[in-house]
Amino acid sequence: MSRIPLTADAVAALSPDDASTKAARGLVAPAKWPMLGASDAAVWGECQGSGSKPYQTQVDVSGAGPTFRCSCPSRKFPCKHGLALLLLQAQTPQSFTAAEPAWVSEWLASRQERAEKKEAKASAPPVVADPAASAKREAQRVQRMAAGAQELALWLDDTSRKGLAAVSDSDGPAWATVAARMVDAQAPGLGQRVMQAFAVVGQGRDWPARLLGRLGNLQLLVDAVAQRERLTPGLQTDLRQALGWPIERDEVLAGGERVSDHWQVLAQVLVEREARLTERRVWLQGARSQRRALLVDFSFAGKAFDQGWSVGVPHSGTLAFYPSADPLRALLAESSPVPDAASLPQAPPSAAEWTALAIRMAANPWAQTWPLWLDAVQLQYTADAENPWWLWADARAIPLAISEADAWQLMAMAAGGPISIFGEWTGELLRPLTAWSDADRWAATGVVGDNV
């Protein structure tokens, strides 16, 4: 497997944001690294930080994309130490002379072991479960979910009869009880959406309208459960996912639609979940197929992700798509890097993008985000205290979900001119993930909260 060219530009393309790049460049000095080493499989080093014990930084460069691991507490992937390590090797490879320490060997061995187990599992004959027992368990769960949906339907009727004006912050415990009942009914997705609806109560001038929209979507779910046998196969799968009954990865890899292409990374974002869980969302676009795809991975307690991605860097590989009325989410089945420079494909025509968004939202109304890619847009700051940041695109004013710090960075990059933006549309707001002009690029690094 060929490794990524260790040029300064290639390393900078791996950075999650400009701040990380700047911080990494400040560490590009052999004096700050008491130990540096490299092999065909990995690059490693110890960087002296503020504590007495140096940070142990290592990068696996043997796969389709570099994979980073560092003992520092940073939540960014990769951290500044990993970037600085690769920048150092690109600039002073003669400094990397240390023998491979045990902590690097153990990490590489564990990665190799996991890869072998994954390969063995994929090649092993499938375990044939008892069809009768599986069908019985599935029927029991469907029955419990249907009963939970009926209970939720009655609660929705009661809530609508009382009127949304009667809902207040003090109703939180009662709504939480309803959500817990949905978990008991093995439909945790319904419970999650109940609490997501309650989260808008009292938030902003138009919260009753947004609450009504979210409760309406819940009602659509409840109605779909009752009519599930009449839905198309793809919509039945979307309904199952919305209820919180996921499809197994092995099932997707075995039977999902496969598309081979050169995939361009449009965006990646890290979402901080509860219990030290980090979700990574990577958006791809096929150069030949023009298919858009979403890869979702999870990491616990700061553990590095198995596959590295960088905005603009293409990958040649095969994706297996989850079944859906609007197939977007996928798994990486096979991948290898292509020796192209980091770049971004051209944005589609605006009319086609708006039409595609409408079709996607109609096809799967229970998705919580949809991709939106807009070209030649203008960023504007307003005096609106609730939504100060907006985009002007195709005579439309689009409210943004963006932090003030990120917004000002984006404004500085735009320099008053038009830019292209790729992000996730929530049905209410656009969350920018990547933006670029002719001379520069901006990328979001993370989202705190529930990402809805």
Side-chain angles (χ1 to χ4, degrees):
M1 186 72 70
S2 61
R3 46 183 292 184
I4 184 172
L6 287 177
T7 64
D9 289 341
V11 175
L14 298 170
S15 176
D17 57 21
D18 292 338
S20 296
T21 304
K22 183 178 179 180
R25 287 172 178 158
L27 296 174
V28 181
K32 296 183 178 182
W33 296 78
M35 196 252 304
L36 291 168
S39 67
D40 290 339
V43 182
W44 61 86
E46 290 185 344
C47 182
Q48 188 61 55
S50 57
S52 59
K53 186 177 181 180
Y55 295 125
Q56 294 178 337
T57 307
Q58 49 201 316
V59 185
D60 185 342
V61 293
S62 63
T67 301
F68 296 79
R69 185 181 185 184
C70 185
S71 61
C72 76
S74 175
R75 294 183 179 180
K76 293 184 179 180
F77 297 94
C79 68
K80 62 183 180 180
H81 305 103
L83 294 170
L85 184 64
L86 292 186
L87 285 172
L88 261 174
Q89 197 197 28
Q91 296 179 14
T92 59
Q94 67 276 10
S95 301
F96 289 72
T97 58
E100 184 173 287
W103 49 272
V104 174
S105 301
E106 292 170 0
W107 180 58
L108 292 176
S110 66
R111 286 181 52 78
Q112 180 65 25
E113 184 181 356
R114 287 199 302 271
E116 291 175 353
K117 287 182 178 179
K118 184 177 180 180
E119 185 177 350
K121 183 177 180 181
S123 60
V127 178
V128 180
D130 183 355
S134 298
K136 182 178 180 180
R137 287 193 299 269
E138 183 169 331
Q140 289 174 342
R141 178 159 186 176
V142 169
Q143 186 176 8
R144 292 191 189 100
M145 290 192 301
Q150 290 177 354
E151 181 180 347
L152 183 60
L154 294 175
W155 178 81
L156 287 169
D157 287 343
D158 292 341
T159 302
S160 61
R161 276 197 299 267
K162 293 176 183 177
L164 298 185
V167 180
S168 66
D169 292 341
S170 62
D171 293 325
W175 286 55
T177 299
V178 174
R181 291 285 298 157
M182 297 303 102
V183 175
D184 293 341
Q186 292 188 282
L190 290 178
Q192 181 185 36
R193 289 169 190 255
V194 167
M195 297 312 298
Q196 288 172 354
F198 183 76
V200 307
V201 173
Q203 303 298 313
R205 295 183 299 270
D206 63 341
W207 72 263
R210 288 185 288 129
L211 177 60
L212 180 61
R214 298 192 179 197
L215 293 181
N217 191 270
L218 261 176
Q219 184 65 56
L220 187 64
L221 264 175
V222 168
D223 293 341
V225 173
Q227 302 291 328
R228 60 189 178 277
E229 295 181 357
R230 300 173 58 182
L231 302 178
T232 63
L235 205 52
Q236 286 183 14
T237 304
D238 294 329
L239 172 63
R240 171 176 167 165
Q241 297 267 46
L243 293 174
W245 190 356
I247 300 175
E248 297 294 333
R249 291 174 59 93
D250 292 345
E251 184 178 344
V252 177
L253 290 172
E257 176 193 8
R258 294 207 168 199
V259 179
S260 298
D261 207 335
H262 285 189
W263 300 95
Q264 204 84 8
V265 183
L266 297 180
Q268 72 168 322
V269 65
L270 303 178
V271 185
E272 296 179 2
R273 300 296 189 184
E274 296 179 353
R276 303 174 68 193
L277 185 69
T278 300
E279 175 186 327
R280 184 181 67 175
R281 303 167 64 83
V282 180
W283 285 99
L284 307 175
Q285 171 115 345
R288 295 189 300 268
S289 64
Q290 293 300 301
R291 287 285 296 268
R292 211 162 282 176
L294 171 64
L295 308 182
V296 182
D297 298 299
F298 295 92
S299 170
F300 179 72
K303 182 181 177 182
F305 292 97
D306 288 338
Q307 173 71 39
W309 301 94
S310 179
V311 173
V313 176
H315 284 256
S316 179
T318 301
L319 301 184
F321 283 82
Y322 282 74
S324 170
D326 175 36
L328 271 177
R329 187 175 175 186
L331 296 173
L332 182 64
E334 301 172 5
S335 177
S336 60
V338 292
D340 293 339
S343 62
L344 283 165
Q346 292 206 332
S350 297
E353 187 69 6
W354 288 114
T355 299
L357 175 63
I359 292 173
R360 290 188 188 283
M361 296 181 70
N364 181 10
W366 304 305
Q368 305 216 33
T369 58
W370 297 268
L372 183 60
W373 191 0
L374 300 174
D375 193 24
V377 300
Q378 294 278 351
L379 184 67
Q380 183 168 340
Y381 177 79
T382 70
D384 188 335
E386 293 182 7
N387 293 110
W389 293 98
W390 294 71
L391 277 186
W392 291 97
D394 305 315
R396 295 177 174 91
I398 305 170
L400 299 181
I402 188 172
S403 70
E404 185 174 2
D406 282 345
W408 285 116
Q409 288 183 10
L410 188 55
M411 180 72 85
M413 187 210 74
I419 56 176
S420 296
I421 280 188
F422 178 86
E424 295 178 337
W425 174 249
T426 69
E428 300 170 358
L429 301 166
L430 176 65
R431 180 179 301 112
L433 300 182
T434 310
W436 57 96
S437 63
D438 292 337
D440 205 354
R441 175 177 67 84
W442 169 91
T445 58
V447 178
V448 177
D450 202 33
N451 196 34
V452 296

